[in-house]
Amino acid sequence: MALDPYQSTPVVRVSTVIRNIGQLVTIAQQPIPGASGPLQVLERALLGVSQNRIVWLGQEGEGEPQFQTDTPGTDITVIDAREAVVTPGFVDSHTHLLFAGNRAEEFHMRRSGIGYGELLARGLGILTTMNATRAADEETLLTLARERLVSLNAYGTTTVEIKTGYGLSLEAEEVSLRLINKLNATSEIAQPATQKVRVVPTFLGAHSVPPEYRDRRAAYVDLVLHEMLPRFVGLARFCDVFCEREAFTYDESLRILTRAKELGYYLKLHADQLSPAGGARLAAELGAISADHLDHASDPDLEAMREAGVVATLLPGCSYTLRSPYPSARRFLDHGLHVALATDFNPGTSYCENMQMILGLAMSAMHMSLEEALTATTINGARALALQDEVGSLELGKQCDLIFWSIQDYREIGYHFGTNLVQSTFTQHT
Ligand code: NIG
Ligand code: FE
């Protein structure tokens, strides 16, 4: 091929170049030259990275830029991907992973016929975990949470949302939020084992009415409204409410979330999980970022959510655990909603930190295609955290959070099941 004398090779400054990628599943939102399919897959790809941002992506060979170090005096690190399949890291947009104890005993009680709602009404369920969490010291809680972060990262998660909601007092909720912030990859005390996971904190003081307020629930709502919410500004990105017959009513949720919005929190809801309690409608009315669960959301609710741009987050781990019918993902997709999938990792209804399992359940029991399920566990998880410009797909300028898979072809994801197909994850938080 004749050289074009007017076209010089561009120079791209990087700290790291990742070569020899067999398939780069970008999930890009814009077409990428040379990429194919709805997921924009590039074969024989390479990535240039500077300060954990993607500064180059394309096919190897012709058209490659000239890479120069972004830090004079330091060599470029070259990583050979050995033809691995590479995707964005999973974004798990709904977890309750900061807690002590577990509820194996209640799990088996439920298996013998006692309902989840009935346990809540008896002061068990969430309140069992509240008691264990309040009784644990901070170091114990941190250690448990770190172990869980290491585990979910081993299954491919690189961004995780973590909710409070097992403290349920001003002091205990504040401790939970401070610990969740400490767990973040970029926090001063982050440890090597957790440095690969970006943590997004959510305040869920309205998870359950604690026993001290059982007979004066209005006083607890006031505590959330007037003391917790103003005090936690800056500590939590989101405010969430468990809007449910056994938890908080539509009106209580409306008051809490309206105030939260005024204070600058993004909004989420646990909506219509056990009964049609108005959560999905409220999410649309308030312009929440996501409404989660949605087992009992009606068609008009879904219409309203689409109009308002609310992400529908489905949590198949709950259906699996509670043996309740799986919500039909097709219904949400046919309504034109952005569908996200998350683990809902918690000790009651979904004791699972593995996004591959969630993706597999969605493909099998909720009839999602691989393309839909991969989209739901990456870019749509990012949308559910209002982080779609930062993570969830591999595009220029975004964070370079990757999964290296131990498979030959990305179509093995969701097909080969019950084993961990993730070899490792890559991030370089600074
Ligand atoms: O998302 N529904 C409320 N919260 C959790 C369950 C928490 C628990 O049972 O401890 C959920 O299902
Ligand atoms: Fe939840």
Side-chain angles (χ1 to χ4, degrees), residues 139-216:
E139 211 35 59
T140 306
L141 283 171
L142 265 183
T143 303
L144 286 166
R146 281 197 182 109
E147 285 168 5
R148 293 169 190 151
L149 285 182
V150 169
S151 173
L152 61 82
N153 179 248
Y155 290 108
T157 297
T158 51
T159 298
V160 66
E161 182 254 20
I162 307 179
K163 302 175 199 295
T164 69
Y166 295 120
L168 306 181
S169 69
L170 185 65
E171 300 70 28
E173 284 293 301
E174 181 158 5
V175 167
S176 294
L177 272 177
R178 293 202 181 284
L179 296 181
I180 293 169
N181 279 285
K182 275 189 182 180
L183 290 166
N184 205 338
T186 52
S187 79
E188 276 166 31
I189 65 136
Q191 298 188 348
T194 55
Q195 260 165 1
K196 288 182 167 182
V197 190
R198 194 184 309 276
V199 169
V200 178
T202 292
F203 168 59
L204 178 59
H207 195 194
S208 191
V209 176
E212 335 48 296
Y213 286 89
R214 185 175 301 149
D215 301 319
R216 42 192 192 108

Side-chain angles (χ1 to χ4, degrees), residues 104-386:
E105 205 178 318
E106 292 182 19
F107 172 81
H108 294 291
M109 282 163 74
R110 287 203 314 265
R111 287 288 148 119
S112 58
I114 301 173
Y116 179 70
E118 203 177 325
L119 286 176
L120 280 179
R122 283 193 203 176
L124 296 170
I126 292 168
L127 298 180
T128 303
T129 303
M130 179 205 75
N131 285 325
T133 306
R134 283 184 180 176
D137 59 49
E138 293 186 20
E139 211 35 59
T140 306
L141 283 171
L142 265 183
T143 303
L144 286 166
R146 281 197 182 109
E147 285 168 5
R148 293 169 190 151
L149 285 182
V150 169
S151 173
L152 61 82
N153 179 248
Y155 290 108
T157 297
T158 51
T159 298
V160 66
E161 182 254 20
I162 307 179
K163 302 175 199 295
T164 69
Y166 295 120
L168 306 181
S169 69
L170 185 65
E171 300 70 28
E173 284 293 301
E174 181 158 5
V175 167
S176 294
L177 272 177
R178 293 202 181 284
L179 296 181
I180 293 169
N181 279 285
K182 275 189 182 180
L183 290 166
N184 205 338
T186 52
S187 79
E188 276 166 31
I189 65 136
Q191 298 188 348
T194 55
Q195 260 165 1
K196 288 182 167 182
V197 190
R198 194 184 309 276
V199 169
V200 178
T202 292
F203 168 59
L204 178 59
H207 195 194
S208 191
V209 176
E212 335 48 296
Y213 286 89
R214 185 175 301 149
D215 301 319
R216 42 192 192 108
R217 55 182 300 123
Y220 186 68
V221 173
D222 282 343
L223 178 71
V224 171
L225 272 172
H226 304 304
E227 295 190 53
M228 294 189 189
L229 276 174
R231 187 168 170 126
F232 301 155
V233 170
L235 282 177
R237 180 172 174 88
F238 282 89
C239 175
D240 190 348
V241 170
F242 186 15
C243 178
E244 194 61 57
R245 200 174 44 206
E246 289 82 358
F248 293 86
T249 64
Y250 174 93
D251 288 331
E252 289 165 341
S253 307
L254 171 67
R255 287 176 64 210
I256 292 167
L257 292 169
T258 302
R259 184 75 190 117
K261 190 174 176 177
E262 285 165 6
L263 290 167
Y265 294 86
Y266 287 117
L267 308 183
K268 282 186 174 293
L269 273 111
H270 281 68
D272 305 302
Q273 178 190 11
L274 307 170
S275 62
R281 180 161 44 96
L282 182 55
E285 285 162 1
L286 292 175
I289 301 293
S290 78
D292 302 29
H293 288 290
L294 300 169
D295 303 57
H296 295 273
S298 68
D299 283 345
D301 292 339
L302 301 194
E303 283 298 320
M305 280 175 57
R306 187 177 48 79
E307 288 296 306
V310 182
V311 175
T313 301
L314 302 181
L315 306 165
C318 294
S319 307
Y320 178 87
T321 305
L322 298 174
R323 291 173 163 166
S324 54
Y326 287 82
S328 155
R330 292 258 64 82
R331 210 181 128 224
F332 293 84
L333 292 162
D334 291 347
H335 271 87
L337 286 156
H338 284 303
V339 173
L341 288 164
T343 59
D344 195 9
F345 180 68
N346 78 75
T349 58
S350 185
Y351 199 22
C352 172
E353 59 270 62
N354 177 354
M355 284 290 274
Q356 291 169 69
M357 169 85 184
I358 298 302
L359 180 147
L361 284 177
M363 286 178 63
S364 167
M366 290 162 52
H367 300 261
M368 289 176 89
S369 68
L370 174 60
E371 281 76 15
E372 288 162 347
L374 270 176
T375 302
T377 47
T378 55
I379 188 66
N380 286 355
R383 284 186 215 284
L385 297 177

